Every structure is written in structure tokens, then in C-alpha cells.
Amino acid sequence: MKIYVAGHRGMVGGAILRQLQARRDAGENLELITRTSAELDLTDQTAVRMFMQAEQPDQVILAAAKVGGIIANNSYPAQFIYENLMIECNVIHQAFDAGVRKLLQLGSSCIYPKLADQPMREDALLTGTLEPTNEPYAVAKIAGIKLCESYNRQYGTDYRSVMPTNLYGPGDNFHPENSHVLPALIRRFHQAVQDEVSEVVIWGTGTPMREFLHVDDMAAASLFVLGLDTETYQRETQEMLSHINVGSGTDVSIRELAEIVARVTGYQGKLSFDASKPDGAPRKLMDVSRLARLGWTAQTPLETGVRETYEWFKAQKLQDLRAK
Ligand SMILES: NC(=O)C1=CN([C@@H]2O[C@H](COP(=O)(O)OP(=O)(O)OC[C@H]3O[C@@H](n4cnc5c(N)ncnc54)[C@H](OP(=O)(O)O)[C@@H]3O)[C@@H](O)[C@H]2O)C=CC1
Ligand SMILES: C[C@H]1O[C@H](OP(=O)(O)OP(=O)(O)OC[C@H]2O[C@@H](n3cnc4c(=O)[nH]c(N)nc43)[C@H](O)[C@@H]2O)[C@@H](O)[C@@H](O)C1=O
């Protein structure tokens, strides 16, 4: 079985690759193919076509995307819609042309309307207006679902989509402005402890609710969904509703999240909130009953996952310092 993992240097693609490598090392007959973006720019149609025709993988896992937090999405909307649409169109269409029958692509919980009923079920898709801070990214992600559905309908392929909630873990992006909230707070609280600062600023009001899933859980869920037999997947997803939510099933407010990160990093100062920064969607909790019915639930409690991620972050910082 020859599998192409697109985006293997990213947080999720990296975790998926590690789990596939472990299966291969345990004796499963797997050939794993990867390319960095420098080796293969997935927005380049000709390059993707040549790659797919040359490699002819049996399966494709699409975890490559332009990804970022609320400010990155809001600041670079053209890049978020263009790059994600191009990556999806090129990878999905060229995989199809090269004879790939089975593919899994990753979407996002932001595909659902800003004010969707909570928890958000798969059939909330396209029932209302999107959250403006990430609408371009969400439109691209919705297009990815519809691409898979359309190829399945017209050509009988088996292309599947998983919709992750907010993810975190080893390999995350800790950029101070462009990252998601959890890595941003880990970095900011860590720095505050180092510098003995008595106040940490958190963006927005602290009231938005978010659900967080550890990346190893996400990787396991992705491989679980890819591994389901076609009959089971189609029975559960029904025609025209091909995507499956992936989440932990519980959420916390951003204030509660900040309190967890403060505990984990040992920060004891004051928390303050900068309401001039956007809150984004008021709440984004996934309904994960479809995945649970199929037999998969998340394993990592949030605080345990944050502790592990913080250890990874510190080890990484040490490594970076040593490399300088
Ligand atoms: N992180 C999160 O909280 C969430 C993520 N998701 C989705 O999960 C998937 C994985 O996200 P995540 O792992 O966090 O993202 P990362 O930013 O960690 O990784 C994305 C990867 O995509 C690759 N990539 C980006 N652009 C190109 C390109 N033009 N050509 C080739 N490769 C490219 C990069 O490769 P390279 O390193 O070689 O440059 C990078 O390693 C995405 O689809 C994302 O939308 C969904 C919900 C939440
Ligand atoms: C996964 C998902 O991620 C994005 O949506 P989001 O959930 O709004 O993502 P976020 O993690 O950046 O913010 C969550 C909340 O947290 C608050 N917040 C506080 N302090 C910081 C902070 O320091 N950094 C960030 N980024 N947010 C902060 C922030 O104001 C917001 O209320 C999408 O654009 C899209 O990419 C997508 O699919």
C-alpha cells in the first residue's frame, strides 16, 4: 500500500506520518511518500500532475494547507482562500487523474455557520452565514468537501473528509501573532514566567468557547476514518453529507483555557483582556456523535495535553538555543 501524506512537516501531517511509520515498523506493508513544499508546491498544477502521475499512490492523505489563527486569517484572506483552493483542486483532481481511489482530506470546524446550533452537527453545513474573520478559509474548506462529494458522485471514488475542531500539540506553530490561541498562550505565559512579568494580556473578551483536541488524537481519528470499509462509511455519511466531525466533545472559555496554561507554566500573575482584538465565533463545539457511533472517541484530557505540549515547547526552545 503506497500512501502519500501531503503536509508531513506540519503538526497534523507529522503526527499522521509518525503513526503510519509505527504501523509500518510493526510489519504492515506500507510505502510512505512525502514531499516538502520546497520540493513540491501543491499550488502548482503542473508540478502536482507530474508528481501524481510518476508516483501513482494507492491512497492520499491531504493535511497540507495554509493554516493560522484568527489574526492571520483576518490579515491574509487572499492567501488563505487562494492557496487552500489551489491545493485542494490540484491534489484532489490530479489524484483522481492518476487513478487514486481513496483519499482523506482535512477541513475545519469553521465551515459551520457563526451562529450554528451547538454542538454543531454535520448537517449544519451551508445553513447560515460564516464567521467573518475566517470566511475565506472556510469557503475553501467547504469547497474541499464538495470536491470530494462531487468526484464520489460522478466517478464513484471513495474520497472522505474529516472536520477537526481546534487542534494543538507537539509540532504546533508558536508564532506570537499568527498562531492559534493555545500555542500563543503557552509561549506568552512561559515568557512572562521567565521575565517575571506580573500581567499577561489575552486577546478578546475571554468569553468565546473553544473545543481543543490533541494532535495525536486527530491523527488517530484520521487513520480510523480512512480505515473504515466503504460500505460502513457510506452508510454513516449518506450521499451529499460526506464529512465527519472530529473533536473531544467538550469545550472551555478562553479565560478558562488561559487559567489552565497559567497553571501548567507556573504563572501566578494577573490576566487581562484586550477587547480591541477579535473574539471570532462565540462558540464552536462539534457534535461528535457520528464518529462515536462508528467507534472512535478522543483519549487525551485537555490539561494533560497542554502539559505535554509545554514540555515539547521547552525542549524545542532548548534545542533551538543549542543550534545557535
Ligand atoms: N491546527 C489547527 O488547529 C487546525 C488545523 N486544521 C486543518 O488540519 C490540516 C493540517 O493543519 P496543521 O498541521 O495545523 O498545519 P501546519 O501549518 O502545521 O502544516 C501545514 C503543512 O502544509 C504544507 N503546505 C502548506 N502550503 C503548501 C504548499 N503550497 N505546497 C505544499 N505543502 C504546503 C506545509 O509544508 P512545509 O512544512 O513543507 O512547508 C506544512 O507543513 C489543515 O488542513 C488545517 O486546515 C483544521 C482545524 C484546526
Ligand atoms: C482552528 C480555527 O482557528 C481560527 O479560529 P479561532 O478558533 O477563532 O482561532 P484562534 O485559536 O486564533 O482564537 C481562538 C480565540 O482565542 C482568542 N485569543 C486570546 N488570546 C489569543 C492569542 O494570543 N492568539 C490567538 N490566536 N487567539 C487568542 C481569540 O481572540 C479567539 O477568541 C480560524 O481562523 C481558523 O483557522 C480555524 O479553523
Side-chain angles (χ1 to χ4, degrees), residues 157-168:
T157 49
D158 187 356
Y159 294 173
R160 307 177 180 188
S161 303
V162 279
M163 295 303 119
T165 191
N166 292 40
L167 305 171
Y168 72 97

Side-chain angles (χ1 to χ4, degrees), residues 7-13 35-38 40-43 62-67 83 87 106-109 137 141 164-167 171 180:
H8 73 290
R9 286 203 309 183
M11 177 173 67
V12 183
R35 293 288 185 281
T36 66
S37 61
L40 176 64
D41 177 359
L42 294 173
T43 65
L62 176 49
K66 172 79 179 162
V67 181
E83 291 178 27
I87 290 172
L106 279 81
S108 166
S109 58
Y137 171 79
K141 291 291 182 184
T165 191
N166 292 40
L167 305 171
H180 291 105

